[in-house]
């Protein structure tokens, strides 16, 4: 590859050039492919499969960058890493997209027929799968494409059929008529967790139903008056004294004229509303249960598209909301509807289409959840449980599993896993099996497909070759080591994977589940199309590069917390990458021709050498520990501080002394330390910023073909020098204090000064004398005195550090007359400010009328001005002697 043949880095860091072609280099080297090497310990992650319908968003970029960071580090640590990629067929979403495309072409799925429609859907899938892969490439994800899976591929389809049939045979899958969540727009059932509840401004309609053969009425209220057409009872609480005499009587259902019974049922809350409830068994899940207890008729008054049907009488054919308007008018005219109350309430919407969900009586397939949930909870109460990170999300998991309801798994779609059930044309007998009945001509297969989450729940083991328990990948890589996903998907996916894995493999699907939050905009708002505040990760990469985006995403939040996106923060990570680039470029320019074999760390090390090697050890320890704990932000903080503050700002500056000197032995040692430290640093940084680190590493003296398979840095005890760290800490403190003192009196670093250091003891004297070169160079002295006892000049600036005191004689450092003049002016300025603010605060009118925050702010200013006035006065007194 041409990049490897370069002898130096370009003068300017250009992420686009650095990242161009690098991913292909990794793929050609097969560095991301799991080897199955028996001498290596396996480590596996399965990617949460993105929907094949569209492009990846920032949340995907965040989620997958975490996985990539973990897998890259584990690969470098010597594990046989499998990071398995794949995509989800996204039943409802994909079918909606394909149907929209067909509509544009002037046709629809019914005109095409099932077979042709599915051919079109597969073509759509291939187009968008390529698009998603190109985005994975741009982010730099180290995926094993040789094992890529799709939830509708042959292997996963076999797994789905196996699970369906086994659960059916155990009585855990059944077919029945129940109230389900119905999406009238896509005309399919939804599971509970595919319904998003949103606050809407609605109305509460209060009505009086007349008691038969009586002048009395009974009051009820509803938010959906159109469903009254399907009422088959009124329910009251059996202990409600107000209505005991009504139980067993009938009311005349307005408009319809049907007689419906008044029943007593403990479901009714006596304190809520009037204490009487209309019962519509075909349009409400609670009413359905009441209806079963009292053997009530189920009257369905709507069609699948949300329009009213023949049971709605004169409203037949009207849209449900149009029917609501009309029926309200009619009820008002009849004096039945006596009050309309404005109310904000929660209304369920389809996660996929956005349509208002309709509770709807329908015959569907269900999974009986109690036994599966119980087994999953037993697993979680045992020693071999799934480790939730952060731990608090385990409680969320328990809460959902403890209150779980049976899962509606059938969907009225064509795109998906078709339910492996057949109905005999004559006898209506039901046959369930992995293969069609032998006399297929007498049977009709169920038209519905399975909920997308049904196949996704099997993802960690179906992708490994299950149900073949002897499959090599299944035996070697399952259970997986970690799942990375958002906290908002615990119910949708995490819980289902756990109970299905326990049921069919006897094991947990993953050892750890790392939960991250949501990405919000800079103001903390959720990103959405309606707000127009979404950010395309590809746009961020185009502007700042993948490494900058990755580092921002990884270090911008702690596990389980939301992350606020900020262009300024991404830019700051680009600045960090640029710092790494420039420091590496300088280093490479000073080790031209230096080979890996020439690296020799046995020579005489300077204080700076010993210190940077010690700090490298400490950074390796911190980064390794925190990355293993998924504390990427903390690991990133240690990396940033080490690279920016210590390696770049201190060590490389100090390394210039021997590099620009005449001592060849010192030059070689410095080059060796620089080469070694940069090599180890690039390895640590690689999982976070893979592109720039590969580019730099290829230019450094190294062995191996790619940093992706280079060994992860380890702490080397021989390079741990506590004494050197203490000495360097003192040296840095001295240099910083001198620079601060210069800044106080506007003495530029270019001007040489006189400097005296009084050391605490003779040991520190020897230590500082040994580092005199650094002090003279970085403090820019023309005269440096270091002693245990010395005569302190009368007029001097001073600073105290651990073990020493520094004195900078003002004579020769500043022009006394000019400095006195400047300080006199400054004293006048701060004195005026003190007088002004004190006058303001002594004004009772201001103090009594102004907001407390404004008064407090003025008091803070007063103290600040007094402090500044005192400091300037002290400096003047010092100069006057």
């Amino acid at each position: 590859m041409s990049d490897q043949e370069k002898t130096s880095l370009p003068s300017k860091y250009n992420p686009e050039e650095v990242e161009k072609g690098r991913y292909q280099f990794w793929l050609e080297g097969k560095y991301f492919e799991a080897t199955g090497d028996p001498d290596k310990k396996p480590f596996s992650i399965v990617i949460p499969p993105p929907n094949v319908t569209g492009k990846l968003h920032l949340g995907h970029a965040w989620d997958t960058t975490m996985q990539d960071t973990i897998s890259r580090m584990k690969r470098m640590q010597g594990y046989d890493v499998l990071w398995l990629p794949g995509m989800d067929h996204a039943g409802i979403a994909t079918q909606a997209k394909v149907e929209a495309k067909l509509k544009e072409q002037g046709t629809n799925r019914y005109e095409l027929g099932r077979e042709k429609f599915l051919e079109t859907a597969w073509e759509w899938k291939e187009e968008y799968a390529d698009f998603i892969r190109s985005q994975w490439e741009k982010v730099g994800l180290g995926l094993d494409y040789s094992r890529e899976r799709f939830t509708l591929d042959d292997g996963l389809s076999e797994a789905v059929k196996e699970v369906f049939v086994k659960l059916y045979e155990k009585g855990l899958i059944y077919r029945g008529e129940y109230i389900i969540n119905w999406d009238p727009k896509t005309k399919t059932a939804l599971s509970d967790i595919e319904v998003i509840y949103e606050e809407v401004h609605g109305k509460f309609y209060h009505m009086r139903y007349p008691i038969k053969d009586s002048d009395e009425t009974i009051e009820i209220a509803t938010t959906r008056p159109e469903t009254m057409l399907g009422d088959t009872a009124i329910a009251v609480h059996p202990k409600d004294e107000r209505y005991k005499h009504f139980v067993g009587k009938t009311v005349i259902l307005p408009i319809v004229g049907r007689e419906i019974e008044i029943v007593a049922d403990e479901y009714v809350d006596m304190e809520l509303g009037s204490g009487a409830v209309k019962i519509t068994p075909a349009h409400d899940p609670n009413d359905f249960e009441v209806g079963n207890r009292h053997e009530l008729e189920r009257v369905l008054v709507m069609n699948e598209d949300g329009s009213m049907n023949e049971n709605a009488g004169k409203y037949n054919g009207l849209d449900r909301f149009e029917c609501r308007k009309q029926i309200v008018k009619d009820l008002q005219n009849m004096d039945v509807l006596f009050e309309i109350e404005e109310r904000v309430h929660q209304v369920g919407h389809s996660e996929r289409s956005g349509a208002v969900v309709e509770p709807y009586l329908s015959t569907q397939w269900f999974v009986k959840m109690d036994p599966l949930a119980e087994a999953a909870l037993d697993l979680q109460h045992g020693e071999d449980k799934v480790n939730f990170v952060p731990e608090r999300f385990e409680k969320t998991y328990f809460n959902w599993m403890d209150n779980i309801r049976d899962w509606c798994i059938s969907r009225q779609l064509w795109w998906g896993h078709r339910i492996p059930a057949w109905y005999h044309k004559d006898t209506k007998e039901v046959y369930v099996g992995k293969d069609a009945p032998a006399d297929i001509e007498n049977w009709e297969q169920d038209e519905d497909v399975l909920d997308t989450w049904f196949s996704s729940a099997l993802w960690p083991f179906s992708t490994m070759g299950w149900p073949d328990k002897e499959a090599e990948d299944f035996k070697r890589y399952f259970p997986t080591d970690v799942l990375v996903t958002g906290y908002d998907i615990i119910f949708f996916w995490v819980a289902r994977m756990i109970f299905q894995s326990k049921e069919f493999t006897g094991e947990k699907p993953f050892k750890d589940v790392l939960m991250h939050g949501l990405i919000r905009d800079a103001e903390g708002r959720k990103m959405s199309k309606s707000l127009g505040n979404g950010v395309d990760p590809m746009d961020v990469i185009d502007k700042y590069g993948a490494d900058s985006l990755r580092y921002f995403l990884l270090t911008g939040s702690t596990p389980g917390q939301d992350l606020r996106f900020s262009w300024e923060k991404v830019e700051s990570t680009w600045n960090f990458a640029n710092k790494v680039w420039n420091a590496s470029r300088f280093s490479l320019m000073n080790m031209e021709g230096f080979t890996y074999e020439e690296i020799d760390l046995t020579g005489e090390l300077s204080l700076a050498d010993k210190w940077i090697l010690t700090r490298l050890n400490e950074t390796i320890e911190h980064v390794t520990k925190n990355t293993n704990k998924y504390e990427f932000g903390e690991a990133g903080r240690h990396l940033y501080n080490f690279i920016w503050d210590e390696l770049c700002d201190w060590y490389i500056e100090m390394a210039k002394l021997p590099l620009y000197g005449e001592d060849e032995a010192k030059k070689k040692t410095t080059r060796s330390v620089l080469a070694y430290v940069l090599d180890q640093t690039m390895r640590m940084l690689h999982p976070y910023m893979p592109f720039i680190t590969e580019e730099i590493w290829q230019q450094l003296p190294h062995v191996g073909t790619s940093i992706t398979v280079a060994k992860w840095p380890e702490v080397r005890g021989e390079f741990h020098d506590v004494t050197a760290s203490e000495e360097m800490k003192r040296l840095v403190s001295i240099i910083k204090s001198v620079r601060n003192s210069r800044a106080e009196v506007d003495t530029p670093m270019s001007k040489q000064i006189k400097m005296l250091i009084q050391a605490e003891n003779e040991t520190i004297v020897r230590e500082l004398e040994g580092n005199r070169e650094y002090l003279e160079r970085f403090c820019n002295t023309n005269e440096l005195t270091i002693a245990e006892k010395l005569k302190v000049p009368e007029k001097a600036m001073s600073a105290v550090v651990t073990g020493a005191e520094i004195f900078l004689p003002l004579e020769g450092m500043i022009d006394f007359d000019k400095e006195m003049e400047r300080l006199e002016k400054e004293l006048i300025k701060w004195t005026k400010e003190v007088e002004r603010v004190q006058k303001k605060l002594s004004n009772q009118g201001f103090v009594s009328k102004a907001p407390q925050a404004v008064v407090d702010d003025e008091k803070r200013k007063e103290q600040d001005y007094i402090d500044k006035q005192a400091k300037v006065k002290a400096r003047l007194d010092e100069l006057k002697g």
Side-chain angles (χ1 to χ4, degrees):
M1 184 177 180
S2 60
D3 285 347
Q4 291 174 283
E5 296 164 8
K6 293 178 184 176
T7 55
S8 63
L9 298 178
S11 58
K12 187 179 178 183
Y13 169 55
N14 183 337
E16 186 180 359
E17 287 300 316
V18 169
E19 295 168 12
K20 187 191 300 180
R22 183 59 68 193
Y23 196 75
Q24 198 57 38
F25 162 68
W26 289 328
L27 292 183
E28 288 170 3
K30 298 187 176 180
Y31 299 121
F32 303 145
E33 292 186 15
T35 62
D37 185 344
D39 294 331
K40 291 184 175 183
K41 188 177 178 181
F43 185 93
S44 59
I45 303 176
V46 290
I47 198 169
N51 288 350
V52 76
T53 49
K55 58 186 183 179
L56 307 179
H57 53 64
L58 268 177
H60 290 118
W62 190 16
D63 187 86
T64 52
T65 297
M66 288 184 190
Q67 295 167 66
D68 191 50
T69 301
I70 295 165
S71 61
R72 283 180 184 269
M73 177 181 173
K74 290 298 178 184
R75 189 179 294 110
M76 295 173 78
Q77 287 177 323
Y79 287 84
D80 172 27
V81 174
L82 168 59
W83 184 19
L84 188 145
M87 298 171 212
D88 191 282
H89 64 280
I92 297 174
T94 301
Q95 180 147 328
K97 296 269 189 183
V98 176
E99 289 202 65
K101 181 181 177 182
L102 293 176
K103 188 176 181 180
E104 288 175 7
Q105 296 170 352
T107 185
N108 58 56
R109 63 170 163 144
Y110 301 105
E111 288 181 5
L112 281 184
R114 190 167 194 142
E115 192 174 325
K116 288 287 184 185
F117 173 81
L118 290 177
E119 284 178 16
T120 305
W122 275 102
E123 288 169 6
W124 174 278
K125 176 262 174 185
E126 291 303 326
E127 179 184 344
Y128 277 83
D130 283 342
F131 187 61
I132 288 172
R133 288 187 202 105
S134 71
Q135 292 180 301
W136 284 342
E137 173 179 346
K138 207 164 181 178
V139 180
L141 306 183
L143 296 158
D144 184 350
Y145 290 103
S146 69
R147 289 173 167 86
E148 184 181 337
R149 303 305 299 266
F150 180 58
T151 47
L152 282 182
D153 69 28
D154 291 341
L156 268 66
S157 294
E158 282 302 307
V160 167
K161 286 189 279 187
E162 175 86 6
V163 168
F164 187 95
V165 172
K166 287 284 171 63
L167 289 177
Y168 180 79
E169 290 172 348
K170 287 183 73 171
L172 295 178
I173 280 185
Y174 63 93
R175 190 168 183 256
E177 191 178 48
Y178 288 87
I179 295 288
I180 48 88
N181 301 302
W182 185 261
D183 182 340
K185 188 172 182 180
T186 56
K187 298 181 195 173
T188 183
L190 303 171
S191 66
D192 289 345
I193 53 178
E194 290 172 306
V195 179
I196 308 300
Y197 286 89
E198 299 173 5
E199 280 194 349
V200 300
H201 290 274
K203 294 179 173 66
F204 217 40
Y205 301 89
H206 295 264
M207 296 181 278
R208 294 189 184 96
Y209 284 8
I211 308 290
K212 184 183 178 186
D213 299 329
S214 165
D215 292 333
E216 294 183 281
T217 60
I218 191 165
E219 181 186 330
I220 61 96
T222 180
T223 57
R224 300 155 66 216
E226 66 277 9
T227 62
M228 68 163 289
L229 302 170
D231 288 356
T232 55
I234 299 291
V236 297
H237 196 280
K239 293 181 180 178
D240 195 331
E241 294 295 335
R242 295 172 295 175
Y243 299 121
K244 272 191 174 180
H245 66 290
F246 280 164
V247 175
K249 293 186 177 182
T250 60
V251 300
I252 307 299
L253 184 60
I255 296 176
V256 181
R258 183 167 63 242
E259 290 186 25
I260 60 175
E261 187 180 357
I262 300 174
V263 299
D265 197 283
E266 292 187 348
Y267 155 70
V268 180
D269 183 348
M270 289 188 286
E271 305 300 321
L272 188 64
S274 67
V277 180
K278 63 191 277 304
I279 302 299
T280 319
H283 289 276
D284 183 276
N286 295 313
D287 293 4
F288 178 82
E289 298 297 334
V290 174
N292 285 350
R293 287 194 287 274
H294 297 276
E295 298 182 349
L296 299 176
E297 183 185 3
R298 300 167 185 164
V299 179
L300 193 66
V301 298
M302 284 184 203
N303 297 309
E304 291 182 351
D305 63 357
S307 63
M308 309 307 288
N309 65 17
E310 64 278 3
N311 291 328
K314 66 178 182 177
Y315 307 105
N316 184 14
L318 287 180
D319 173 77
R320 55 184 167 155
F321 299 121
E322 188 56 42
C323 173
R324 180 179 300 178
K325 292 177 187 175
Q326 190 59 51
I327 209 167
V328 164
K329 288 180 184 176
D330 292 346
L331 289 169
Q332 284 174 319
N333 292 335
M334 296 171 65
D335 251 1
V336 170
L337 177 60
F338 67 92
E339 183 186 355
I340 300 176
E341 177 189 348
E342 297 288 334
R343 177 174 290 195
V344 175
H345 62 130
Q346 297 278 332
V347 174
H349 291 72
S350 168
E351 184 209 16
R352 298 298 184 190
S353 72
V356 172
V357 169
E358 193 66 43
Y360 195 74
L361 184 66
S362 180
T363 300
Q364 303 286 340
W365 288 91
F366 295 84
V367 174
K368 191 180 291 183
M369 285 307 308
D370 285 346
L372 295 169
E374 185 179 350
L377 288 170
D378 287 344
L379 169 73
Q380 203 59 21
H381 288 302
E383 290 183 5
D384 196 35
K385 67 176 188 175
V386 173
N387 177 39
F388 281 80
V389 183
E391 191 177 357
R392 69 179 183 274
F393 288 108
E394 184 179 40
K395 186 178 179 182
T396 307
Y397 168 77
F398 279 139
N399 287 342
W400 190 67
M401 293 296 271
D402 284 335
N403 298 286
I404 202 164
R405 293 170 58 178
D406 285 0
W407 174 17
C408 177
I409 55 171
S410 45
R411 298 290 180 268
Q412 288 61 56
L413 306 169
W414 286 356
W415 177 245
H417 294 100
R418 194 167 179 182
I419 291 174
W422 287 260
Y423 309 105
H424 197 279
K425 293 176 182 177
D426 299 324
T427 66
K428 307 306 177 188
E429 175 190 354
V430 179
Y431 166 81
V432 171
K434 289 198 288 183
D435 300 310
D439 54 336
I440 187 64
E441 66 277 1
N442 296 318
W443 297 80
E444 290 178 339
Q445 187 173 0
D446 196 307
E447 289 289 322
D448 292 351
V449 300
L450 288 163
D451 176 13
T452 302
W453 296 104
F454 192 89
S455 52
S456 298
L458 318 179
W459 187 252
F461 53 95
S462 62
T463 54
M464 302 285 188
W466 189 92
D468 178 5
K469 294 181 180 178
E470 295 304 310
E472 289 300 318
D473 281 359
F474 180 73
K475 288 196 296 181
R476 181 164 176 78
Y477 300 108
F478 185 83
T480 61
D481 288 271
V482 59
L483 173 81
V484 182
T485 190
Y487 61 59
D488 58 333
I489 210 168
I490 292 177
F491 319 126
F492 283 93
W493 195 39
V494 177
R496 287 173 172 168
M497 284 188 285
I498 293 174
F499 70 67
Q500 290 288 46
S501 179
K502 175 60 180 164
E503 173 69 19
F504 288 98
T505 73
E507 298 188 74
K508 59 188 177 185
F510 24 74
K511 296 166 190 171
D512 295 342
V513 54
L514 172 60
M515 296 287 181
H516 59 77
L518 306 175
I519 296 190
R520 301 183 179 274
D521 68 11
E523 296 173 25
R525 300 175 302 174
K526 191 173 180 179
M527 291 185 172
S528 68
K529 288 181 181 177
S530 59
L531 290 174
N533 60 347
V535 176
D536 187 336
M538 301 303 116
D539 291 343
V540 182
I541 292 172
D542 287 341
K543 189 169 184 179
Y544 290 110
D547 286 328
S548 297
L549 173 63
R550 287 170 62 107
Y551 200 79
F552 160 73
L553 293 172
L554 287 165
T555 61
S557 177
T558 55
Q561 297 297 315
D562 290 348
L563 170 66
R564 291 192 179 193
F565 179 83
S566 160
W567 283 104
E568 291 77 16
K569 288 179 180 177
V570 177
E571 184 175 9
S572 74
T573 62
W574 182 92
N575 289 333
F576 175 54
N578 191 52
K579 184 88 167 180
V580 170
W581 182 267
N582 289 333
S584 301
R585 184 171 182 274
F586 165 81
S587 303
L588 287 165
M589 286 168 62
N590 283 278
M591 59 176 78
E592 194 172 345
F594 196 65
T595 65
Y596 181 80
E597 290 71 27
E598 290 178 274
I599 295 176
D600 181 7
L601 300 174
T602 62
E604 185 180 350
L605 300 174
S606 67
L607 173 65
D609 295 335
K610 293 174 186 175
W611 168 73
I612 200 65
L613 290 169
T614 302
R615 285 296 299 125
L616 175 67
N617 268 344
E618 291 168 349
T619 306
I620 290 169
E621 186 178 0
H622 286 305
V623 171
T624 304
K625 180 182 71 176
N626 285 297
T627 306
N628 278 332
K629 287 166 42 182
Y630 314 123
E631 294 280 357
F632 305 114
E634 189 63 13
R637 184 180 67 81
H638 283 286
L639 268 171
Y640 184 96
N641 291 343
F642 173 73
I643 293 170
W644 191 294
D645 297 338
E646 296 166 340
L647 179 58
C648 296
D649 286 357
W650 287 102
Y651 180 72
I652 287 179
E653 288 305 309
M654 289 180 165
K656 289 177 181 178
L657 297 180
L659 288 174
Y660 295 165
E662 301 299 324
D663 190 324
E664 291 302 320
K666 285 185 178 179
K667 276 187 182 180
K668 183 177 180 182
T669 298
T670 303
R671 284 174 178 156
S672 295
V673 172
L674 201 49
Y676 174 73
V677 172
L678 269 176
D679 169 84
Q680 298 295 292
T681 303
M682 290 306 105
R683 295 182 196 216
M684 269 192 292
L685 187 58
H686 176 70
Y688 292 77
M689 291 181 155
F691 292 100
I692 191 172
T693 51
E694 179 77 87
E695 179 74 12
I696 292 168
W697 190 81
Q698 291 290 349
Q699 308 303 320
L700 288 168
H702 69 274
V703 290
T705 56
S706 171
I707 195 172
T708 57
V709 288
K711 188 178 178 183
W712 181 258
E714 293 178 353
V715 172
R716 291 177 62 175
E718 70 270 30
F719 294 146
H720 200 73
D721 193 326
V722 177
T723 303
S725 285
E726 289 302 314
E727 290 183 12
M728 187 66 179
K729 187 177 180 181
R730 187 168 11 255
L731 195 63
V732 168
S733 295
I734 291 171
I735 295 168
K736 283 184 175 179
S737 70
V738 171
R739 289 175 175 176
N740 289 338
S741 296
R742 281 175 172 272
E744 277 186 50
V745 293
D746 293 328
T747 302
M749 282 302 299
S750 58
K751 183 175 183 178
Q752 289 193 317
I753 60 170
K754 185 178 179 182
M755 177 175 167
L756 298 91
I757 303 176
Q758 183 168 283
E760 199 172 86
N761 52 52
E762 191 56 38
T763 302
I764 294 176
V765 171
R766 287 195 299 272
E767 170 199 314
L768 294 176
E769 282 290 356
N771 294 299
R772 173 178 282 272
E773 186 181 14
Y774 293 133
L775 291 168
E776 291 175 340
R777 167 68 178 81
F778 294 105
C779 295
N780 195 15
T781 64
N782 53 13
E783 186 180 333
L784 172 61
T785 303
I786 304 170
E788 192 173 350
K789 293 195 181 296
L790 48 76
K791 185 179 179 182
V792 178
E794 285 185 15
K795 294 180 180 179
M797 300 185 76
S798 64
V800 177
V801 299
T802 305
E805 193 169 0
I806 303 103
F807 298 96
L808 304 178
L810 290 172
E811 190 175 356
M813 188 175 175
I814 61 171
D815 183 317
F816 277 88
D817 292 337
K818 283 186 178 178
E819 182 64 8
M820 292 272 284
E821 185 181 340
R822 185 183 73 81
L823 289 171
E824 291 283 3
K825 287 179 181 177
E826 200 167 342
L827 182 60
I828 292 169
K829 172 187 170 184
W830 295 125
T831 301
K832 284 182 178 178
E833 288 296 338
V834 169
E835 289 171 354
R836 183 189 63 77
V837 76
Q838 287 180 342
K839 184 178 179 182
K840 198 171 187 179
L841 288 169
S842 65
N843 182 341
Q844 287 306 308
F846 167 76
V847 174
S848 62
K849 292 178 182 178
Q852 189 59 45
V854 173
V855 175
D856 290 343
D857 188 48
E858 289 300 316
K859 287 179 179 178
R860 280 193 293 271
K861 286 179 185 177
E862 177 190 25
Q863 191 55 53
D864 181 45
Y865 299 154
I866 289 172
D867 289 344
K868 286 173 177 173
Q869 181 191 43
K871 283 178 182 176
V872 173
K873 199 171 182 182
R875 178 73 69 198
L876 271 168
D877 292 342
E878 188 181 311
L879 290 179
K880 289 173 183 176

